Amino acid sequence: MYLKQLALQGFRNYEEQTLELSAPKVILVGENGQGKSNLLEAVELLATLKSHRAAKDRDLVQQGSSSGLIRALVSSRYTVAELTVLVRESGRRVLQVNRQTAGRRLDFLGHLNAVQFSCLDLELARGAPELRRAWLDGLLVQLEPVYDYIADQYSNILRQRNALLKRLRQGGESATLSPEGEAELSSWDQQLATMGSHIIRRRQRGLTRLSPLAQGWHQALSSGAETLDLVYEPNLTAPAEDKARLEAQFLDALARRRAQEVQLGTTLVGPHRDEISLWLNQTPAKAYASQGQQRTLVLALKLAELALIESVLEEPPLLLLDDVLAELDLKRQRQLLEVLETRFQTLITATHLERFGEKWLDSAQIFQVSAGCLSPVWRSELI
């Protein structure tokens, strides 16, 4: 998979900019706050339709504009596709594939695959469970775009069930539900259990495939000194492969927690409360791993993501590295850059070029980023 062209208009701090990509390695160099991360964010949106930096589309639109446009030309082993995402300050996004409107997110996802690694990802090892859930869910969307629909449906059901629980609590039904309240809640229970079981099963399946790859990379990065384990810890204990049993246990758990849920006005059972725990040498990494160990762990996860996507889709994804070299010591920097070589098209941001070896600089396109403007840096200028 290869990103050949990226055009931005009214996106973040880019008024209008087109980037022609002709090398497997692209280095974006510039001071902080100039727009390097914004460019990688645009590629992330094309791959996942999500940004880990912005919760609302209006945050993506350049100040003074009513909309922002991202357009890319992507080459894969089978086809070349033009992808367009139009984000607005108000209103829905417009998605296009080859200038044809994609009516569903599902019709857009899968044309571009990318793995992003930024300094924010270091929180995967030490941060809250929702970060690890979001990380795994993002990977699953790229492996199986229909997962985006499943997760969206679950979120909608959960939101409406929580709204009902709040209404029941405000109506004083926390002790005994009325027949009407019981019937309405039971309906949402069934929908939640059905869609939640799909999520649990796919998360477990994805983590089972990712784990040996992450363990292998971690063994290499730590020179065999540590072992890594990834454990999915759902609310429910039924085997993920047994869908009927899992769904029945889901419904039973909801029934047992019903009074408490009505009292609190929120749903206490389901994959929105699950944990993906990371262990080093059979010890929780979140509590006991050093900063260096946490960095190695997250690097292993990202390299495993690359390998898994390539294995499943039979094509290497793009790699987006957002100022991570500054977060890694010299040994880990060298390991990362050596691993990549030309296997994955890589877009990497940096404030200086000193961290890159001659081999990288000789084979890379280099762009200076300044206030949302890109200008090429020729190799002869660095000598």
Side-chain angles (χ1 to χ4, degrees):
M1 188 165 289
Y2 202 90
L3 181 63
K4 301 176 70 174
Q5 183 187 80
L6 180 66
L8 304 177
Q9 186 175 339
F11 178 82
R12 289 289 195 179
N13 69 330
Y14 287 91
E15 183 174 352
E16 190 165 357
Q17 185 75 60
T18 298
L19 189 62
E20 302 287 346
L21 305 176
S22 58
K25 303 169 186 172
V26 178
I27 302 174
L28 304 166
V29 62
E31 297 299 323
N32 292 327
Q34 300 304 303
K36 304 187 303 294
S37 297
N38 295 343
L39 196 144
L40 297 193
E41 182 181 30
V43 180
E44 179 189 20
L45 276 161
L46 292 168
T48 66
L49 293 178
K50 293 182 180 179
S51 165
H52 69 285
R53 302 168 67 219
K56 298 179 180 179
D57 278 0
R58 65 169 174 262
D59 297 328
L60 303 172
V61 178
Q62 186 180 38
Q63 189 173 6
S65 299
S66 59
S67 63
L69 182 73
I70 308 168
R71 178 168 288 141
L73 197 61
V74 181
S75 173
S76 67
R77 61 186 300 186
Y78 299 114
T79 186
V80 175
E82 182 183 270
L83 306 177
T84 304
V85 176
L86 177 70
V87 293
R88 297 163 168 164
E89 273 201 319
S90 60
R92 298 183 62 182
R93 294 178 182 177
V94 177
L95 309 177
Q96 290 184 336
V97 179
N98 295 326
R99 303 293 173 109
Q100 298 297 311
T101 300
R104 304 175 301 169
R105 293 163 58 97
L106 184 59
D107 299 325
F108 186 92
L109 291 166
H111 288 88
L112 172 64
N113 296 103
V115 172
Q116 171 141 328
F117 184 14
S118 76
C119 57
L120 297 177
D121 288 306
L122 296 174
E123 286 297 312
L124 284 175
R126 60 187 179 229
E130 54 262 31
L131 296 176
R132 288 180 286 280
R133 290 195 297 266
W135 157 71
L136 181 56
D137 288 346
L139 172 60
L140 294 176
V141 166
Q142 298 209 63
L143 296 176
E144 192 178 9
V146 72
Y147 185 83
D148 179 74
Y149 171 80
I150 294 170
D152 187 57
Q153 288 296 300
Y154 180 84
S155 294
N156 288 335
I157 294 166
L158 179 64
R159 184 165 53 250
Q160 294 183 74
R161 187 178 188 272
N162 282 341
L164 173 60
L165 290 171
K166 288 182 174 65
R167 291 200 307 272
L168 294 174
R169 181 187 61 180
Q170 291 166 0
E173 296 194 34
S174 57
T176 304
L177 291 180
S178 66
E180 294 79 8
E182 182 76 39
E184 190 175 359
L185 192 53
S186 294
S187 174
W188 287 120
D189 286 357
Q190 183 61 61
Q191 295 179 62
L192 193 76
T194 299
M195 206 56 67
S197 296
H198 285 305
I199 290 178
I200 292 170
R201 294 174 69 224
R202 281 170 167 80
R203 281 181 179 172
Q204 184 64 74
R205 186 167 62 201
L207 206 62
T208 298
R209 301 180 75 171
L210 184 71
S211 288
L213 298 171
Q215 289 167 345
W217 276 116
H218 194 270
Q219 282 278 308
L221 294 171
S222 66
S223 302
E226 298 167 348
T227 59
L228 169 64
D229 290 297
L230 282 63
V231 182
Y232 183 41
E233 300 176 352
N235 285 190
L236 311 171
T237 58
E241 63 273 11
D242 190 339
K243 184 178 182 299
R245 184 177 165 191
L246 183 63
E247 194 170 321
Q249 189 180 87
F250 203 134
L251 288 168
D252 181 64
L254 288 171
R256 285 186 285 105
R257 304 292 293 275
R258 177 161 295 182
Q260 187 180 7
E261 288 186 333
V262 174
Q263 185 178 25
L264 296 174
T266 192
T267 302
L268 301 175
V269 177
H272 61 289
R273 289 180 170 266
D274 290 348
E275 169 68 288
I276 297 99
S277 61
L278 310 172
W279 297 70
L280 286 180
N281 294 335
Q282 301 178 333
T283 302
K286 181 177 180 179
Y288 298 103
S290 66
Q291 280 198 343
Q293 288 174 316
Q294 291 173 349
R295 284 169 168 76
T296 298
L297 187 160
V298 175
L299 180 55
L301 292 181
K302 290 297 172 178
L303 292 171
E305 279 187 70
L306 286 169
L308 181 57
I309 292 175
E310 183 179 24
S311 171
V312 172
L313 304 181
E314 299 182 345
E315 192 161 29
L318 273 67
L319 176 60
L320 312 175
L321 296 175
D322 193 5
D323 205 26
V324 295
L325 293 185
E327 297 290 340
L328 302 175
D329 58 31
L330 290 175
K331 177 183 176 182
R332 292 180 180 87
Q333 289 177 29
R334 186 175 63 252
Q335 287 174 319
L336 175 59
L337 295 178
E338 286 176 354
V339 162
L340 298 177
E341 290 297 328
T342 59
R343 185 175 175 185
F344 304 97
Q345 185 184 19
T346 302
L347 279 67
I348 182 169
T349 69
T351 53
H352 303 90
L353 294 174
E354 287 82 356
R355 300 178 187 276
F356 300 94
E358 292 295 315
K359 190 175 182 180
W360 253 78
L361 295 175
D362 285 338
S363 61
Q365 271 184 291
I366 306 172
F367 293 92
Q368 181 76 39
V369 184
S370 179
C373 294
L374 301 173
S375 55
V377 177
W378 306 111
R379 187 70 177 96
S380 58
E381 300 176 20
L382 303 176
I383 299 175

